[in-house]
Each structure stands twice: as structure tokens, then as C-alpha cells.
Amino acid sequence: MVDASAQAVGKREAGYRAADMVADGMVVGLGTGSTVFFAMERLAARIREGLVITGIPTSFQTAIRARGCGIPLATLNDYPVIDLAIDGADQVDPGFALIKGRGAAQTQEKCVAFAAKSLVIVADPSKLTRKLDAVVPIEVLSSAYVPVIRYLKTIGGVPVLREGIKKDGPVITDNGNMVIDCGFGTIGDPTALDIHLSSIPGVVTCGLFTTFADKTTVVVGDSNGCQVLSRNGQFPL
């Protein structure tokens, strides 16, 4: 059982540490999720102290929060190469393969991660795992969700169309698409599965992030502070 209060402290510690990695004049990708909101809270304080940055949001929700924090915003079309992206993850393995997309923003998050020179993943210890085994969110065109679900079953997946909360019907992403949450059990080869899922006609993006490990740093926060992990360093599990 995860202690919710300790988890919140860990998220805040990780978010604040990531925000302190941002230097003046940087263009910064802003991920979607509760841990990144702590990073934006810290960035807002630094902006009040004189920090000058530009943020690239990965969702409508992030854009709304960032504006509330006083963070100036732009798009990837304005800045196709950005200095740093701060984002969260649903799971992180020792090779820094990730599962993302619980907030249904994985498509823009992947675009921002691709554009970033450096990717900082903020997490609490509950997100670390020896093997990825969480469901993989898959963004799919609404006109193709039935054949995609059918195909996922043939390759051993357990797909479920994500339903809205306080909304009748499926979740609709910021891009106007649907989300399929697909279980695969323990994922032996995340890279191969990432490539396979991304090649299915009708799939926009899957929530496996396996191509950014070389530029990724993971910041893990708990009640004792933060650990900054490197890919070739010790994994605290």
C-alpha cells in the first residue's frame, strides 16, 4: 500500500529538484501530471525572482496550469528544438524505458521528448520497477478503434477502451482521438513492443517511451529528499 502523503511529498521533492535544473533563457517542455505541476509551482517562484524561460505544454491542462503560474508559453512549431523537458511516468525500468499516458497526453509528450536535448523524468519511488508491466495507453483514431482492439487481442494484449469519469462514453484526447489501455503482462522487450504498436494502422502513439533513454535523467523524490539517477548508475530497487 502506497502512503499517499509520503507519495505527495516525494512528488513535490522531485518536481522542485527538476525545476532547479532549469537555467535562465531555456525553452522547457512541460509534461502532464501531478509531479510536473510541482515543478511548475517551483518555476513560478523562480520566475518571480527573475528567471526567464519559455514553456512548451503537452496538454490543455498543462497550458492552463502554466498560464496560472505565469509561465510564458509557445509551441514546438515556434521552437522545434528545446533545451529540456520535464515530465512524469507511470513506470520506469532500470534501462529508463518508460510507460506513460495515464493522463492521455502521451502523443504530445512524445513529440516534446523527441524535440528536447535533455529529458528529466520526475517520479516517486512507486513508479520504479524492475520490469515494465503496467497497461500501455494507446491513442487511436476513433474510426479505427474496433480493428485495433481486435488486432491487439491477436498478439496477446488485453485491450480496454478508456471510459470517461463524470462523462458518458470514451475519453477523448486533446487531439480528438480515443485511448485504449492494453495489458501485456510483464513486457520482455519494451523497444520491440513500442515499434510494433506504433506500426499498427490507426494507432497514433503508444505510451511506451523507449528511444529517449540516452538523454534521460530520472529524479526520484521521497520524504528524505531526492535521488538523481543516471542510466548506468545504481537503480534503487
Side-chain angles (χ1 to χ4, degrees):
M1 181 72 71
V2 177
D3 185 320
S5 61
Q7 190 176 36
V9 170
K11 288 180 177 182
R12 186 185 67 227
E13 291 287 337
Y16 276 36
R17 174 66 70 87
D20 285 339
M21 295 178 178
V22 174
D24 197 55
M26 278 188 170
V27 179
V28 182
L30 301 171
T32 299
S34 56
T35 312
V36 179
F37 293 155
F38 284 115
M40 288 194 287
E41 181 178 84
R42 173 60 182 152
L43 286 172
R46 294 190 62 200
I47 287 170
R48 291 192 294 270
E49 295 166 357
L51 179 72
V52 176
I53 62 168
T54 301
I56 309 292
T58 56
S59 66
F60 294 148
Q61 184 186 42
T62 297
I64 291 167
R65 295 287 183 95
R67 289 191 181 98
C69 289
I71 300 173
L73 298 180
T75 71
L76 287 179
N77 290 329
D78 299 312
Y79 296 96
V81 178
I82 65 177
D83 298 294
L84 179 82
I86 301 173
D87 210 342
D90 303 330
Q91 283 192 326
V92 183
D93 78 4
F96 288 3
L98 316 171
I99 292 179
K100 292 175 50 54
R102 192 168 294 168
Q106 67 267 24
T107 297
Q108 190 64 13
E109 288 173 339
K110 193 170 276 192
C111 291
V112 168
F114 178 74
K117 297 175 184 176
S118 178
L119 176 62
V120 178
I121 296 297
V122 287
D124 64 85
S126 71
K127 304 301 175 61
L128 305 182
T129 183
R130 282 290 171 190
K131 292 284 188 179
L132 300 181
D133 59 6
V135 297
V136 178
I138 302 168
E139 183 166 350
V140 61
L141 298 176
S142 59
S143 59
Y145 82 93
V146 172
V148 170
I149 284 176
R150 180 178 180 276
Y151 179 75
L152 290 170
K153 290 177 180 178
T154 70
I155 61 171
V158 182
V160 176
L161 185 67
R162 189 182 299 184
E163 296 285 331
I165 297 174
K166 297 183 179 180
K167 170 194 176 296
D168 291 336
V171 166
I172 303 299
T173 71
D174 289 358
N175 307 308
N177 301 311
M178 295 180 177
V179 176
I180 297 167
D181 290 317
C182 193
F184 294 96
T186 301
I187 300 172
D189 189 340
T191 301
L193 184 59
D194 184 4
I195 293 169
H196 191 163
L197 295 178
S198 299
S199 72
I200 300 170
V203 169
V204 179
T205 318
C206 80
L208 284 164
F209 283 51
T210 62
T211 61
F212 308 121
D214 289 341
K215 62 180 179 183
T216 297
T217 299
V218 177
V219 180
V220 183
D222 60 25
S223 57
N224 297 314
C226 283
Q227 287 181 276
V228 180
L229 309 181
S230 60
R231 190 182 181 194
N232 298 319
Q234 186 175 4
F235 196 72
L237 269 185

